[in-house]
Amino acid sequence: MEEQDLAQVIEQLCNSKAEEFRLIGYEHANGKDIWACVSAGYKKSGQPELHKLVNDILSLKVTSFMNFLTISAYRGTHF
């Protein structure tokens, strides 16, 4: 799979997960923040294989996402 195709698939998955979060009341969730949350776990080990990426995005829990956003806000990092 080419890099551009992979980026497009990841973007679609993250947007889908963000829409799921918006449906349950988290109106400000977006794909970019979902990807920032998921990819934060890959900083040390590098990007895993596609099946692990898909699983990590689709199994992301709202509590983990909100914890990531809260910690990012405290650190002052842009999320």
Side-chain angles (χ1 to χ4, degrees):
M1 181 174 273
E2 292 183 28
E3 189 72 26
Q4 184 178 5
D5 294 336
L6 178 62
Q8 186 177 14
V9 168
I10 290 172
E11 182 180 0
Q12 290 172 349
L13 287 169
C14 290
N15 288 335
S16 174
K17 191 64 176 183
E19 182 161 339
E20 177 186 329
F21 286 174
R22 286 192 297 271
L23 286 173
I24 59 173
Y26 295 90
E27 293 91 19
H28 299 291
N30 62 49
K32 182 180 172 188
D33 292 340
I34 299 290
W35 177 242
C37 178
V38 171
S39 65
Y42 305 144
K43 287 184 180 179
K44 291 183 181 179
S45 62
Q47 190 168 325
E49 295 185 26
L50 182 59
H51 69 277
K52 174 107 171 80
L53 276 171
V54 170
N55 183 56
D56 290 347
I57 293 168
L58 296 180
S59 66
L60 180 65
K61 304 290 183 213
V62 171
T63 53
S64 298
F65 178 63
M66 294 308 292
N67 286 341
F68 170 78
L69 292 179
T70 302
I71 290 170
S72 295
Y74 281 134
R75 289 183 180 160
T77 57
H78 181 38
F79 49 86

